Amino acid sequence: EGNKHTIKKYYLKVQLLSDVDHQVMEQFGAWTQMSTSKDPTKTHVVRTTLIIDPNGIIRHLWSEMNPKGHAVEVRRTVAKLKKSGTVTP
């Protein structure tokens, strides 16, 4: 439901992924263990944005990014990838 709202609000034409079971995050290294003195088995999300092409190849990765201006940066990168033919529309 949250993704639908975001897509509508920002007029997005891309697919957003909600990964409640962490399967995709684990596959791409974005769900990781964060040991603390209180809980050595604690896990957390590494805030990450990936551009993944239709073949499952990561074409660009942002990790630990600044949310301010990030969407503009992602759009700019997608446009460059499309122009270069690396990612199809």
Side-chain angles (χ1 to χ4, degrees):
E1 189 64 30
N3 282 350
K4 288 179 184 178
H5 172 74
T6 302
I7 289 168
K8 186 176 181 179
K9 180 178 178 180
Y10 295 105
Y11 307 101
L12 300 178
K13 296 179 182 177
V14 297
Q15 183 177 7
L16 298 179
L17 173 69
S18 291
D19 187 19
V20 295
D21 297 331
H22 316 132
Q23 291 177 351
V24 176
M25 287 188 282
E26 288 176 22
Q27 185 178 358
F28 289 105
W31 183 257
T32 186
Q33 190 166 349
M34 181 178 97
S35 296
T36 65
S37 57
K38 293 180 182 178
D39 186 356
T41 61
K42 185 175 181 175
T43 54
H44 76 289
V45 172
V46 177
R47 293 288 176 198
T48 307
T49 302
L50 302 167
I51 297 174
I52 305 171
D53 75 11
N55 296 315
I57 298 171
I58 298 173
R59 295 298 179 178
H60 201 90
L61 173 132
W62 290 267
S63 180
E64 304 296 331
M65 74 302 246
N66 182 350
K68 187 173 183 173
H70 180 61
V72 172
E73 187 178 347
V74 171
R75 288 177 123 184
R76 192 177 302 134
T77 302
V78 168
K80 287 179 186 177
L81 290 168
K82 285 181 179 178
K83 189 174 182 179
S84 72
T86 305
V87 173
T88 56

